[in-house]
């Protein structure tokens, strides 16, 4: 029997008592990572992890991350550790610098176990497009269901009890959707709350640092460590950082809005029923819960606007991958050939399609009808959301209309269920809003989540409401292999 | 048929800030290739831009000197294109909202309108060798100002004068070295011709890579003639990009200009718009270094001639040297003579700038002051100056160590005078006969005796007194 199905706080107490040592935790994590059959890892940091254990020093009771193993998505730059974002284009690339997020975690003596798989360059929501192939959902041992993406490896390794927490990134819903499919707490705070320095950009205006834990308290602990201004990221905020964990149980705002159009577009009756049950419990716990309206036209515009904006930014953000300076290099007669051959070989077809869409929408003759129009839609959607959040402390809806989908499942991409319920989480990326997914139920043995989204820099309130919801559902510390 | 040329300029000014435009990498020229590079400058994945405040202050100061409207919101955009010298595959620039716009400069009573000034970052340097190229990222990310004029110039001279004026502004404001030869000031010219009175312009030709101010004029004047000739011969003027062949004094086609590239501009998402407060802008302007025009006026007010004043403001470093030297209260005019006489000759001979000149302005001022006050003679001053060229020693110290202090003690000189006259009775006779040469002869004798240290005017006076008494 191991320990890594336990939460950060539980492990901290065991380390304090001396019941377990950091080395034992690393032994267990490395063994599990090596035995992993869900394709969670791009690179297992075995040598590095033991070096960190050797340098830990004395136990520090004031530091909840002391000696705690974690995993980090392979689109975070890690000094001296290969970083390829699950793409062939970055084959052999070993960064000379560390992302702020990674640096803060190792400074706090958390122990990195590995770099996790993702949809190639974080573009995708299925966990299938990385160069190592599909990543599986630990809740389904037959490997028929997705864990979702793009932070697929980070979600799977926490769900599979390999590590108690992991770092992901969230541009559309890449942490909060896999969290729903994996029975995890997936959090992304306000844009600018955590430095993105060293996170390989997909679409900078939408990119967020996010993380997976197995309960809300652990999520608050991580934000305590990661939040704050970073001089290396000009967009990081000067807003003072709250004490998220300390204030978790203090009473906060109690007004919750449910967007009727999102709820109505869901067809899975079990999810709807479970969700309604949580609403009733919240009301019983003293919350005001109202169904509110959101212009359906705007909701249906979320996904297409997202595709246009994210692909446009992505084509520019990834233009540095030209075969000249680092990563893959294919030979060619001229520099144009080198770049063309490298990019032709290094990117999958899916990525190239996104670049074409992005480039097309930025062309002078198309900007008005595509890129600028998408930006306008984004602005209107955010305004509509802020209008609701003026009167409510959080928006609460099912995080996804289904449990983890089958790999071969193809959604009807023009249905309201797909366009609205399967994509509404992106609204939080549009507005840079803090947003957290946590498990609210199971269907056929697969978990599904609810999502709470609030106004910028209201993470404290969001955690408090999420904590109440967690108490109501009783669904915390879920993990597949941790169950006795 | 009468033609006139329609000329517009695009200038790139490389700033000499301490660090690069969007990274903390130090800016230092002449270093080994690829040693002034951090992760951002080579576009390593995940690196992010940080705005250089001094570069923004510089942009405000230059915009103000160019009489431009200054935008109080600082916005940056991405200009997307692939090129081997462009690390990120895009350049961060200011497309939509340049920090400066709608300015002008007056050239010989003619107003040249300036469309915009914006901040951007330089690309890396390419060195093409045979069938391969080398990339030096030291230059990648160095701050640039781009200044775009409206097509208000009509000949090479006007364009040359505009470049000269802008060069003066950016150097006096300490923004740039402004050296076209070294690429810290670059000028591209757009030029087309039309019949006088017509508003139908011929095709626009671009001239790039002009490496000196005089070549701006030469290239334009050649190009105007070339286009005229083509027109008169009934041939087509091709819309192309040309360079100036210095040896043959001709412009040469580099490439055809096809439809302009679509740069797919969009707002830089990693730099949220920055509100520039009134105080910040005002402070940047108020703390601006003095422009050449202001210095010129100041020099006239302190009594210098127009000629001297304009000589001084031709070079910022020279005028700064002068400004420091006059703090010693030495005579303006004498200092100017020294600077444009002896010092200028030395700088030319050694091919160095005044910044590299060993004698500090303070020491020069002290020397000039001593000469003025008769502590040393002109001749002695020059000797001391030659000594100062060795180690920039203080002239006061040098006088002592050289035993070169002037003898102005009346008793000492009188003694020498009496002795000399006693030894030269003939000179008394000559003097009585009215031969003035006698005095000069005696002065010479005393100078010899005192090794040139006797105060000449005092010596002269005492000799005459003594002769009259005999």
């Amino acid at each position: 029997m191991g320990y890594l199905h336990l939460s950060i706080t539980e492990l901290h107490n065991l380390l304090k008592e001396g019941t377990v040592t950091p080395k034992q935790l690393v032994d267990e994590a490395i063994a599990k990572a090596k035995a992993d059959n869900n394709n969670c890892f791009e690179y297992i940091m075995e040598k590095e992890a033991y070096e960190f254990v050797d340098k830990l020093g004395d136990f520090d009771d004031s530091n909840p991350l002391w000696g705690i193993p974690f995993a980090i998505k392979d689109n975070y730059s890690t000094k001296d550790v290969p970083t390829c974002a699950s793409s062939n284009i970055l084959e052999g690339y070993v960064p000379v610098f560390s992302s702020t997020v990674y640096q803060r975690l190792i400074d706090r003596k958390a122990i990195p176990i590995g770099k996790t798989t993702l949809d190639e360059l974080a573009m995708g929501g299925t966990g299938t497009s990385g160069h190592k192939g599909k990543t599986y959902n630990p809740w389904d041992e037959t490997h028929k269901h997705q864990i979702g993406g793009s932070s697929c490896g980070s979600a799977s390794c926490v769900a599979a009890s390999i590590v108690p927490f992991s770092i992901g990134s969230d541009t559309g819903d890449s942490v909060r959707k896999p969290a729903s499919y994996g029975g995890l707490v997936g959090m992304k705070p306000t844009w600018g709350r955590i430095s993105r320095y060293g996170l390989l950009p997909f679409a900078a205006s939408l990119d967020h640092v996010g993380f997976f834990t197995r309960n809300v308290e652990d999520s608050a602990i991580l934000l305590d460590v990661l939040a704050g201004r970073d001089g290396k990221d000009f967009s990081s905020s000067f807003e003072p950082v709250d004490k998220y964990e300390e204030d978790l149980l203090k009473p906060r705002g109690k007004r919750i809005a449910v967007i009727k159009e999102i709820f109505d577009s869901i067809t899975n009756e079990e999810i709807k029923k479970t969700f309604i049950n949580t609403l009733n419990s919240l009301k019983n716990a003293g919350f005001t819960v109202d169904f509110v309206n959101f212009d359906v036209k705007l909701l249906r515009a979320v996904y297409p606007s997202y595709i246009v904006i994210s692909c446009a930014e992505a084509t520019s953000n990834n233009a540095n991958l030209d075969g000249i300076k680092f990563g893959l290099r294919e030979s060619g007669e001229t520099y144009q050939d080198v770049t063309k051959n490298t990019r032709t070989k290094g990117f999958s077809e899916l990525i190239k399609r996104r670049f074409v869409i992005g480039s097309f929408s930025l062309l002078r003759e198309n900007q008005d009808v595509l890129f600028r129009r998408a930006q306008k839609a984004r602005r209107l959607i955010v305004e509509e959301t802020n209008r609701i959040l003026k009167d409510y402390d959080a928006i609460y809806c099912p995080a996804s209309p289904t449990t983890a989908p089958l790999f071969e499942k193809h959604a009807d991409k023009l249905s309201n269920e797909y366009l609205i319920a399967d994509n509404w989480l992106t609204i939080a990326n549009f507005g840079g809003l803090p947003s957290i997914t946590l498990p609210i139920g199971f269907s056929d043995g697969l978990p599904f989540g609810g999502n709470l989204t609030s106004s910028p820099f209201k993470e404290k309130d969001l955690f408090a409401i999420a904590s109440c919801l967690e108490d109501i559902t009783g669904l915390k510390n879920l993990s597949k292999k941790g169950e006795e | 048929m009468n033609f006139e040329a329609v000329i517009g300029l695009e200038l790139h000014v490389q700033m000499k800030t301490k660090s690069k435009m969007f990274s903390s990498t130090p800016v230092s020229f002449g270093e080994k290739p690829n040693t002034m590079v951090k992760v951002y400058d080579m576009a390593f994945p995940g690196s992010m831009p940080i705005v250089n405040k001094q570069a923004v202050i510089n942009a405000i100061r230059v915009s103000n000197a160019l009489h431009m409207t200054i935008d109080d919101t600082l916005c940056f955009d991405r200009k997307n294109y692939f090129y081997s010298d462009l690390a990120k595959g895009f350049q961060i620039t200011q497309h939509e909202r340049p920090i400066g716009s709608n300015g002008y400069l007056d050239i010989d009573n003619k107003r040249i309108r300036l469309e915009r000034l914006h901040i951007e970052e330089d690309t890396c340097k390419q060195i093409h060798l045979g069938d391969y190229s080398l990339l030096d990222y030291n230059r990648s990310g160095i701050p640039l100002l781009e200044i775009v004029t409206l097509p208000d110039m009509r000949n090479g001279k006007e364009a040359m004068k505009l470049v000269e004026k802008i060069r003066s502004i950016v150097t006096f404001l300490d923004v740039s070295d402004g050296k076209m030869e070294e690429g810290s000031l670059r000028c591209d010219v757009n030029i087309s011709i039309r019949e006088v009175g017509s508003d139908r312009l011929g095709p626009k030709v671009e001239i790039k890579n002009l490496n000196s101010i005089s070549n701006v004029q030469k290239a334009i004047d050649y190009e105007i003639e070339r286009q005229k000739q083509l027109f008169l011969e009934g041939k087509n003027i091709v819309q192309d990009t040309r360079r100036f062949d210095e040896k043959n004094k001709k412009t040469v086609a580099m490439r055809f200009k096809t439809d302009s590239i679509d740069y797919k501009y969009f707002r830089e998402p990693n730099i949220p718009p920055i509100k520039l407060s009134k105080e910040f802008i005002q402070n940047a302007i108020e703390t601006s270094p003095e422009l050449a025009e202001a210095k010129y006026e100041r020099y006239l007010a302190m009594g210098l001639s127009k000629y001297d004043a304009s000589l001084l403001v031709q070079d910022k470093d020279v005028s700064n040297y002068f400004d420091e030297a006059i703090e010693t209260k030495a005579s303006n005019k004498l200092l100017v003579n020294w600077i444009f006489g002896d010092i200028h000759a030395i700088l030319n001979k050694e091919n160095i700038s005044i910044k590299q000149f060993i004698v500090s302005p303070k020491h020069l001022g002290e020397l000039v002051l001593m000469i003025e006050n008769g502590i040393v003679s002109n001749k002695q001053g020059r000797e001391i100056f030659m000594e100062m060229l060795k180690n920039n020693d203080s002239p006061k110290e040098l006088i002592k160590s050289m035993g070169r202090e002037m003898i102005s003690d009346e008793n000492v000189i009188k003694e020498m005078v009496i002795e000399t006259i006693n030894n030269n009775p003939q000179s008394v006779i000559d003097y009585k006969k009215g031969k003035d040469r006698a005095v000069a002869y005696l002065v010479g004798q005393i100078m010899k005796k005192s090794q040139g240290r006797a105060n000449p005017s005092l010596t002269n006076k005492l000799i005459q007194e003594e002769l009259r008494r005999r």
Side-chain angles (χ1 to χ4, degrees), chain B residues 318-334:
Chain B
V318 171
S319 70
N320 283 350
Y321 190 94
F322 173 76
D323 284 342
E324 273 187 60
I326 55 174
E327 280 176 23
T328 60
K329 307 272 186 265
S331 142
N332 306 330
K333 181 63 194 166
L334 286 179

